[in-house]
Amino acid sequence: MISQSLRDVRSYEEEMDRRIADAPRPAFHLSARTGWMNDPNGFSYYNGEYHLFYQYYPFRTEWGPMHWAHAVSKDLLHWRHLPAALAPDMDYDRDGCFSGSAVTLPDGRQLLMYTGVDRRTLPDGSAQDIQTQCIAVSCGTPAAGAACAGSERDTPAAGQEAGAPSSSESAGIGAGAVTDYEKYEGNPVLSGRDLPPGANRNDFRDPKLWRADDGTYYCVAGNRTEDRDGQILLFSSPDAFHWTFVTVLAKNNGRFGRMWECPDFFPLDGKQVLLISPQDMLPKDFEYHNGNGTVCIIGSYDKETHTFTEEANQAIDYGIDFYATQTLLTPDGRRILIAWMQNWDTCNFRSIDWPWFGQMCLPRELSLRDGRLIQQPLRELLALRKDEVRYENVTFTDLLRLDGIEGRRVDLTLSLRPGNEKELYRKFALRFAQDDTWQTSISFRPYESIVKIDRKFSGSRRAIIHQRRCRVRNRGGRIDLRVILDHFSVEIFVNDGEHVLTATLYTDLSARGISFFADGEVTMDVVKFALQDMRQ
């Protein structure tokens, strides 16, 4: 039985679907069904479809008691919303069902693991969040007669694991979509009593699940120590219901902000990767910026001793709006990343009174190259391309416009080089979402090897974050850019995915111009495609 709270949310969703059907939205990025969206949750492949849940407050376009929204897709571009999956309706999650993940059980059910929040008032009048890890399991399965979770007899028996796929994270089990999830009567399955000495009991959240080849389940969770330093904890379970602490997998040691949120931990191209979203970061050169950021730590992992040895670290995204990453493994073996395309320091800014707030970034394919995380736009995006416009060996100085190069749903590739090999140009800029008043730009200064995104002329009337910079690999003024525009966002992939810069923009859709600027002599090749609107 689903709760009355969840029934009320689902009724509200249906009502809002009718009322806001014509609201402006991204064309191929998932946006909030109604109200507020933040972190992606439960990113998984299940029952023949990709599933993405997300942090959700349906009743207002501001953060509130967290629910889990639910959407499914065949291609990670065309999304169909299902009824909300979780509502804060139990004592242990009365103030929010926070972030978590999903895994397929051997009996065919989908299990969600999430952080329940119970906010308690202390004797001095202040509030304290009690954060625990909880489970909900899908009701119904392609295997006839399967029951919902709710008692220990419903947990998978050891014998059920014999025929399970080696990576249930990527296993599809037929057609159709699960819409109802029942909270486990043994919740919470992890609480403060399960934490190691020195771990803070109140900042303990965002479990990310996976199932090892031997059938053991593991999850990593974000935590901070009593002295306010971030760390990642590792837990294990024989059945995904009964959990024990294993080890402190990684420690901040004062490097990257304070609390570490939204961890993910997976093998990639012979290495092990830990993704985290630290809060309250301090800048470091052009690699890390102030505030809430995202960090990739690359290293090796000893599965016997559960020892993660760090070898390198880098930012995941160098733009303005990107946080809370989560990945999945596709049936064809690709590691795909998605993230909330927003920044906590700017999310209270509203330029337009829309009935929804928040969108996800374009899903990205991950790989490692020369010890560095590489991100490429999802290859399924190529199927949306149409109306190719191509220019080669265009040499120019100052301002340039090219016929056929415009739009707000665009896949634009640029290959830049000096027009005069004896004299390096000083600056190149691409301006887009442009008219006589508005524009956003990406620029490159080869002498400094700096790429910068700038949206201060995009229509904002507030002093929010407008610029970010990163230092890129410079090949004598040669650089490759791929720019993806989707109505209210831009994602720039530099040098075949070595760096990515992401930003939202709220410029009126009538601003469709694209232009080029050079201080000095630049030669470039340009390929532009329009992109189909997946909502049509």
Side-chain angles (χ1 to χ4, degrees), residues 196 199 208 210 218-223 225 230-235 245-253 255 260 263-267 272-276 297 299-311:
K208 178 62 193 292
W210 72 95
Y218 292 95
C219 81
V220 286
N223 181 238
T225 61
Q231 61 182 4
I232 300 301
L233 307 180
L234 178 68
F235 300 87
F245 171 73
V246 176
T247 190
V248 177
L249 187 71
K251 291 186 175 182
N252 185 24
N253 296 321
R255 298 171 296 165
W260 282 4
D264 204 343
F265 192 60
F266 52 88
Q272 193 76 14
V273 173
L274 174 65
L275 305 182
I276 53 174
I297 301 174
S300 60
Y301 180 52
D302 186 326
K303 295 181 180 180
E304 299 300 320
T305 63
H306 301 294
T307 301
F308 177 54
T309 303
E310 300 179 21
E311 298 172 3

Side-chain angles (χ1 to χ4, degrees), residues 10 44 71 88 206 239 381 394 398 407 477 490 506 509 513 521:
R10 291 179 172 185
S44 54
D206 310 339
D239 56 14
L381 187 70
V394 178
D398 202 33
V490 61
Y506 298 95
L509 290 177
E521 193 170 318

Side-chain angles (χ1 to χ4, degrees), residues 423-478:
E423 186 176 354
L424 190 62
Y425 61 93
R426 289 167 291 281
K427 177 183 176 181
F428 167 85
L430 169 71
R431 297 164 180 167
F432 48 89
Q434 184 178 33
D435 60 15
D436 292 340
T437 304
W438 316 119
Q439 68 176 34
T440 298
S441 68
I442 184 81
S443 62
F444 173 57
R445 295 180 180 272
Y447 282 106
E448 301 168 324
S449 296
I450 295 296
V451 169
K452 180 177 75 172
I453 188 166
D454 186 340
R455 65 174 180 192
K456 64 178 174 289
F457 297 114
S458 66
S460 167
R461 296 180 183 273
R462 294 290 184 270
I464 62 171
I465 300 168
H466 290 309
Q467 298 179 346
R468 283 262 165 79
R469 298 178 291 172
C470 66
R471 179 170 283 115
V472 302
R473 182 169 56 92
N474 185 6
R475 300 163 292 158
R478 296 175 178 269

Side-chain angles (χ1 to χ4, degrees), residues 57-118:
Y57 186 56
F59 304 113
R60 297 183 64 181
T61 56
E62 298 176 358
W63 190 93
M66 287 290 96
H67 299 59
W68 274 37
H70 190 185
V72 294
S73 175
K74 295 289 189 181
D75 61 3
L76 294 168
L77 296 171
H78 182 270
W79 291 95
R80 174 171 56 93
H81 268 106
L82 300 181
L86 299 176
D89 51 20
M90 305 296 285
D91 287 344
Y92 50 78
D93 64 15
R94 72 179 78 203
D95 292 295
C97 300
F98 279 27
S99 291
S101 53
V103 70
T104 302
L105 296 173
D107 65 5
R109 294 178 296 165
Q110 188 180 39
L111 179 144
L112 311 180
M113 190 174 189
Y114 68 98
T115 299
V117 178
D118 175 15

Side-chain angles (χ1 to χ4, degrees), residues 158-415:
Q160 289 178 289
E161 297 180 356
S166 60
S167 177
S168 61
E169 184 184 13
S170 62
I173 54 170
V178 172
T179 59
D180 291 337
Y181 297 82
E182 185 171 319
K183 295 178 181 178
Y184 177 46
E185 70 174 15
N187 282 340
V189 296
L190 283 170
S191 63
R193 65 178 178 270
D194 301 297
L195 300 183
N200 185 279
R201 269 59 178 166
N202 308 116
D203 282 315
F204 170 40
R205 54 186 176 268
D206 310 339
K208 178 62 193 292
L209 281 162
W210 72 95
R211 185 172 182 265
D213 290 340
D214 66 359
T216 303
Y217 294 88
Y218 292 95
C219 81
V220 286
N223 181 238
R224 69 173 174 87
T225 61
E226 292 292 358
D227 59 357
R228 298 176 59 81
D229 204 19
Q231 61 182 4
I232 300 301
L233 307 180
L234 178 68
F235 300 87
S236 70
S237 170
D239 56 14
F241 289 81
H242 303 88
W243 292 87
T244 58
F245 171 73
V246 176
T247 190
V248 177
L249 187 71
K251 291 186 175 182
N252 185 24
N253 296 321
R255 298 171 296 165
F256 309 123
R258 290 180 172 168
M259 174 64 189
W260 282 4
E261 295 192 307
C262 306
D264 204 343
F265 192 60
F266 52 88
L268 185 66
D269 294 342
K271 295 292 183 178
Q272 193 76 14
V273 173
L274 174 65
L275 305 182
I276 53 174
S277 293
Q279 297 178 320
D280 303 321
M281 291 185 70
L282 294 173
K284 181 180 178 182
D285 190 44
F286 293 103
E287 188 65 29
Y288 300 113
H289 56 72
N290 306 69
N292 300 307
T294 52
V295 176
C296 170
I297 301 174
I298 301 169
S300 60
Y301 180 52
D302 186 326
K303 295 181 180 180
E304 299 300 320
T305 63
H306 301 294
T307 301
F308 177 54
T309 303
E310 300 179 21
E311 298 172 3
N313 64 79
Q314 65 177 86
I316 302 173
D317 194 281
Y318 296 81
I320 302 171
D321 295 300
F322 187 90
Y323 193 73
T325 60
Q326 196 163 108
T327 74
L328 62 70
L329 193 66
T330 64
D332 61 6
R334 290 175 289 162
R335 178 64 60 171
I336 304 295
L337 174 147
I338 201 165
W340 182 40
M341 191 156 54
Q342 195 54 61
N343 183 305
W344 281 113
D345 293 324
T346 64
C347 63
N348 289 324
F349 167 71
R350 301 286 192 277
S351 60
I352 304 173
D353 186 21
W354 288 339
W356 61 271
F357 180 82
Q359 55 185 310
M360 296 298 171
C361 76
L362 182 69
R364 303 171 184 179
E365 300 184 15
L366 302 184
S367 61
L368 296 179
R369 185 195 311 142
D370 299 327
R372 183 171 183 83
L373 183 71
I374 303 299
Q375 301 173 72
Q376 297 278 14
L378 184 78
R379 66 188 65 174
E380 282 81 351
L381 187 70
L382 300 178
L384 304 190
R385 285 176 165 182
K386 62 179 183 178
D387 304 332
E388 179 182 356
V389 179
R390 182 181 295 267
Y391 292 89
E392 295 182 351
N393 296 313
V394 178
T395 300
F396 70 105
T397 60
D398 202 33
L399 185 64
L400 174 69
R401 296 181 186 272
L402 296 172
D403 290 342
I405 308 294
E406 64 172 9
R408 291 287 286 273
R409 298 194 312 272
V410 169
D411 188 345
L412 180 68
T413 301
L414 305 176
S415 181

